[in-house]
Amino acid sequence: MHNVSERGYATSHSLGAGDINGDGLLDIVDPYGWWEHPKPGSADQTWKYHPEAFPRYSHGFMGGAVMAVYDVNGDGLADVVTSLAAHGWGLAWFEQKRDAQGNISFVKHMVMYDFSTKNAGDVTFSELRGSGVGDINGDGLPDFLVSKRWYSHLDSGLDLYTFGPPVLYWYETVRDPKAPGGAKLVPHLIDNDSGVGNTVLAVDLNGDGAMDIVTSTRFGAFIFWGKPHPKKSAHTAGAYGCATCPPDVYIVRTLCFPRHLFAPGPAGIHG
């Protein structure tokens, strides 16, 4: 076991890893900042900590779910994509900036908040408790997967808009010099009646070259099989009907996602 941090704030939500400073070593990010991986052979007992306000406080919780670290806008610097509150509102990407001395800071670009704000694709949902990252459409850029955790703490009143539709979206990374920060995250609906628990995985399960999506939820565990399809208009948010697809298939830009339930019944999860 290797010690990373000193004693300090604890959090039960949000964690990620990626090369923030571009030195070829994986750093660790959490809601309050990031820990810099020491150089090989370093005698440092703890990793250097760089404070940063990534989350938004909500109902006693800080942070959301899996934090993705990748170059969103193509400027060669690693950015951070994360939900802001696991049991509240918010999705944003944080653009990395460097000053003349090479010091790192981040600029927040909101993607979605609540019903009072202008959100990407007019999509709004709360409790972004499960998230993941993967190249969903095969364009070589990572995309962000995120979903609503439905009825997390039962009738406690802790969760905002707890009975909202349990949607699952993937947010396409679109580099656009006209967008704030030079990029935008465009939402595409995968499903609207399953949601997610704590984790959503993007992986090619059957080796057909298309990204599949695996979720575990209060309604069971699901696989969404990715199927290549002729491209629709690029960078367009939302789901499209497909005359050649079976009735239980949703087409999301270039892919179709049939849903297969293999573990029915409530998961009974909390937190």
Side-chain angles (χ1 to χ4, degrees):
M1 185 175 69
H2 299 275
N3 187 50
V4 171
S5 72
E6 66 284 350
R7 291 181 179 272
Y9 293 110
T11 176
S12 59
H13 299 102
S14 286
L15 193 66
D19 184 6
I20 294 289
N21 57 359
D23 64 357
L25 301 172
L26 289 179
D27 307 303
I28 298 174
V29 294
D30 85 342
Y32 306 107
W34 61 283
W35 285 273
E36 181 178 346
H37 195 299
K39 300 295 185 288
S42 172
D44 291 345
Q45 294 301 305
T46 58
W47 295 21
K48 183 178 180 180
Y49 187 64
H50 303 266
E52 191 68 42
F54 288 121
R56 180 167 290 187
Y57 181 84
S58 177
H59 282 60
F61 294 101
M62 296 288 283
V66 170
M67 303 174 73
V69 179
Y70 65 92
D71 184 3
V72 175
N73 57 5
D75 64 357
L77 303 176
D79 308 302
V80 176
V81 183
T82 182
S83 57
L84 302 182
H87 302 290
W89 306 97
L91 173 64
W93 72 277
F94 293 79
E95 178 189 5
Q96 184 181 150
K97 295 288 190 179
R98 302 276 182 99
D99 64 17
Q101 289 72 42
N103 297 312
I104 294 173
S105 60
F106 291 89
V107 175
K108 181 168 67 175
H109 300 285
M110 289 298 299
V111 178
M112 175 180 65
Y113 194 56
D114 61 16
F115 291 107
S116 70
T117 58
K118 181 175 176 57
N119 302 324
D122 293 325
V123 171
T124 306
F125 58 97
S126 65
E127 290 197 84
L128 286 69
R129 181 64 180 86
S131 60
V133 63
D135 183 7
I136 305 301
N137 57 358
D139 65 356
L141 299 178
D143 305 298
F144 195 67
L145 282 159
V146 69
S147 183
K148 176 180 175 59
R149 170 91 163 265
W150 190 82
Y151 204 45
S152 291
H153 296 97
L154 307 180
D155 294 317
S156 66
L158 181 64
D159 310 302
L160 302 179
Y161 197 47
T162 188
F163 289 112
V167 294
L168 172 62
Y169 277 88
W170 69 280
Y171 277 78
E172 179 184 5
T173 300
V174 178
R175 290 173 176 171
D176 180 358
K178 297 181 179 179
K184 55 188 177 182
L185 298 180
V186 178
H188 300 267
L189 179 65
I190 298 171
D191 191 46
N192 64 1
D193 65 353
S194 59
V196 76
N198 291 342
T199 305
V200 53
L201 299 177
V203 59
D204 183 5
L205 287 173
N206 54 4
D208 65 354
M211 193 66 73
D212 308 308
I213 296 172
V214 183
T215 66
S216 60
T217 84
R218 279 192 174 278
F219 306 100
F222 300 84
I223 300 174
F224 298 86
W225 296 105
K227 301 294 182 183
H229 274 269
K231 289 186 177 181
K232 299 291 180 179
S233 57
H235 312 321
T236 303
Y240 295 86
C242 178
T244 62
C245 297
D248 65 333
V249 172
Y250 300 93
I251 183 167
V252 182
R253 194 177 179 227
T254 60
L255 305 177
C256 280
F257 289 90
R259 186 183 68 191
H260 296 269
L261 174 64
F262 61 85
I269 47 180
H270 297 268

